[in-house]
Amino acid sequence: MQAVMLVGGQGTRLRPLTVTTPKPMLPLMNGPFLEYMLNHLKRSGVEEVILSTSYLASIFESHFGDGSGMGIRLIYVTEEHPLDTCGAVKNVERYIKGTFLVFNGDILTDLNLEHLIEFHRAKKAVATLTLTRVEDPTAYGLVPLDRAGRVTEFLEKPSWDQVITDLINAGTYVLEPEVLELVPEGVPHSFERQLFPRLLGEGKPVYGFPSPSYWLDIGTPEKYLQAHLDILDRRLSYDFKGEEIKPAVWVGEGTVIEESAMVFGPTVIGRDCHIAADANVMGHTVLADGCRIMHGAHIEGSVLHEGCVIGEDSAVRSSLLSRNVTLGKRCHVADAAVLGEGLIVEDDNDLKRGIKVWPDTVIGSGKVKF
Ligand code: GDD
Ligand code: MG
């Protein structure tokens, strides 16, 4: 089986994290998010994945190469101009050999692909859309079904008065290659706003496959943080790296935790980190490789990418820090702050309430207070 993975979006809702890294390459725990999904595809019998890239395209290939290191064949096709979700698949049509899968590249799921493909074949569908249930469908594609499981309508980002079901498009499709005959070449085209409504208008067999599996679109800071918390809470399977030094605390090689530091689980600490005396790393925290937490600092419910330095007596709560963020002394970062790569925050600053700071900025001492 082949899969096309759509990884060309700009990840605007995840800025500033995505200013320097495309959304599917953001770390999830200690490896790129996409690595988790590629492993899941491989385990499900997918042999070849065509990565449809556009924004920051070269970062994918320089990390994964031809996929042989992971035991899966990877092909990269880069768009000069973004072609939107369906145009991106039309653009890789020459590689498609038969019934194939399409994935939005920002979906974290352990969906059973074998069952999905079996369902698609049994229904003799031209397109089968995986569906999931959410409380607020307005941020997604709404997909009502009839009693036989056929899709009756596709409403992308519906308003509340259009919400007649809680089933939404989970961003994983099984398609027959013939549907691509309806798609124009070389111009932007959308599955959600164009191809699916057209197939339905023409009465083609389009089916929905409601799945109870774990499902999350990591496309906003809240959801990206949630993905980590869910893995730490074992809501989906994950192969933790490092040594479990006490229940639910995994630590990588070369990391030093001083004796009077406190580390509570569930927490993952990467390689070559240093947790100084009297520092606290509380639960639901992920520290990537090379982070340094200074004396008396406190980290809780947060994700810190590689090489972050948290100064003495500073605190980080419920926040996201990109690579190489440095905080001085007595800083407070909290309530869904999102800090861009290489940011330097000097002593005595408070960054709170969803504040977003762009990469490579310097915030002088005592400049930001709440
Ligand atoms: N190659 C390429 N080119 N990829 C693209 C392009 C493009 O022009 N535009 C978007 N993508 C990729 C993104 O990288 C992402 O992986 C995927 O297509 C979906 O784009 P999002 O921007 O994340 O869409 P969304 O989350 O608002 O909505 C989509 O996903 C929902 C489920 O999470 C829709 O498919 C909804 O119907 C669906 O419910
Ligand atoms: Mg998305």
Side-chain angles (χ1 to χ4, degrees), residues 13 23 104 106-107 217-219:
R13 288 163 292 185
K23 177 165 59 174
N104 284 352
D106 58 353
I107 301 302
D217 176 331
I218 62 149

Side-chain angles (χ1 to χ4, degrees), residues 247-269:
V249 176
W250 289 269
V251 175
E253 264 173 48
T255 285
V256 176
I257 301 175
E258 299 293 347
E259 213 173 311
S260 63
M262 290 210 283
V263 179
F264 291 96
T267 282
V268 169
I269 301 177

Side-chain angles (χ1 to χ4, degrees), residues 85-336:
T85 49
C86 185
V89 175
K90 178 72 178 176
N91 193 43
V92 307
E93 191 178 13
R94 60 189 180 280
Y95 293 106
I96 305 293
K97 298 183 189 110
T99 308
F100 67 106
L101 293 157
V102 174
F103 283 85
N104 284 352
D106 58 353
I107 301 302
L108 179 61
T109 184
D110 53 6
L111 169 71
N112 187 316
L113 297 176
E114 288 95 337
H115 289 177
L116 169 69
I117 295 162
E118 227 171 83
F119 175 91
H120 172 83
R121 295 214 158 110
K123 295 289 186 188
K124 299 195 167 37
V126 294
T128 299
L129 283 51
T130 308
L131 310 179
T132 190
R133 292 182 196 279
V134 292
E135 276 174 23
D136 176 5
T138 60
Y140 304 100
L142 194 75
V143 187
L145 302 179
D146 70 10
R147 281 168 179 232
R150 262 178 101 135
V151 175
T152 55
E153 247 185 310
F154 193 107
L155 295 161
E156 182 64 14
K157 312 275 170 0
S159 56
W160 271 108
D161 56 324
Q162 291 175 306
V163 174
I164 50 170
T165 173
D166 59 355
L167 281 176
I168 60 118
N169 170 24
T172 301
Y173 321 126
V174 191
L175 299 180
E176 292 306 314
E178 69 192 64
V179 300
L180 296 179
E181 288 165 18
L182 302 173
V183 182
E185 234 166 282
V187 287
H189 204 78
S190 158
F191 276 119
E192 298 84 352
R193 298 179 198 277
Q194 291 170 288
L195 185 66
F196 293 147
R198 177 160 175 200
L199 290 173
L200 296 171
E202 293 182 5
K204 294 274 179 4
V206 177
Y207 279 82
F209 179 78
S211 158
S213 299
Y214 178 89
W215 183 89
L216 187 75
D217 176 331
I218 62 149
T220 63
E222 297 70 27
K223 296 283 162 82
Y224 174 65
L225 185 57
Q226 189 65 44
H228 291 83
L229 306 187
D230 288 345
I231 289 175
L232 290 169
D233 284 335
R234 309 289 194 121
R235 295 196 53 221
L236 87 162
S237 58
Y238 187 83
D239 193 9
F240 289 92
K241 292 178 192 132
E243 186 191 346
E244 193 172 3
I245 57 162
K246 61 182 193 177
V249 176
W250 289 269
V251 175
E253 264 173 48
T255 285
V256 176
I257 301 175
E258 299 293 347
E259 213 173 311
S260 63
M262 290 210 283
V263 179
F264 291 96
T267 282
V268 169
I269 301 177
R271 287 189 292 197
D272 301 319
C273 293
H274 185 238
I275 318 292
D278 294 331
N280 297 328
V281 178
M282 308 305 275
H284 293 107
T285 292
V286 177
L287 304 181
D289 297 347
C291 286
R292 284 188 290 141
I293 313 300
M294 305 298 197
H295 184 270
H298 178 101
I299 319 286
E300 187 173 343
S302 296
V303 173
L304 278 62
H305 294 173
E306 276 172 39
C308 288
V309 180
I310 308 303
E312 280 176 29
D313 300 317
S314 284
V316 179
R317 294 188 173 88
S318 305
S319 293
L320 296 167
L321 276 59
S322 193
R323 264 191 303 256
N324 300 326
V325 168
T326 302
L327 301 187
K329 296 176 185 167
R330 297 173 302 278
C331 290
H332 290 95
V333 174
D335 311 331

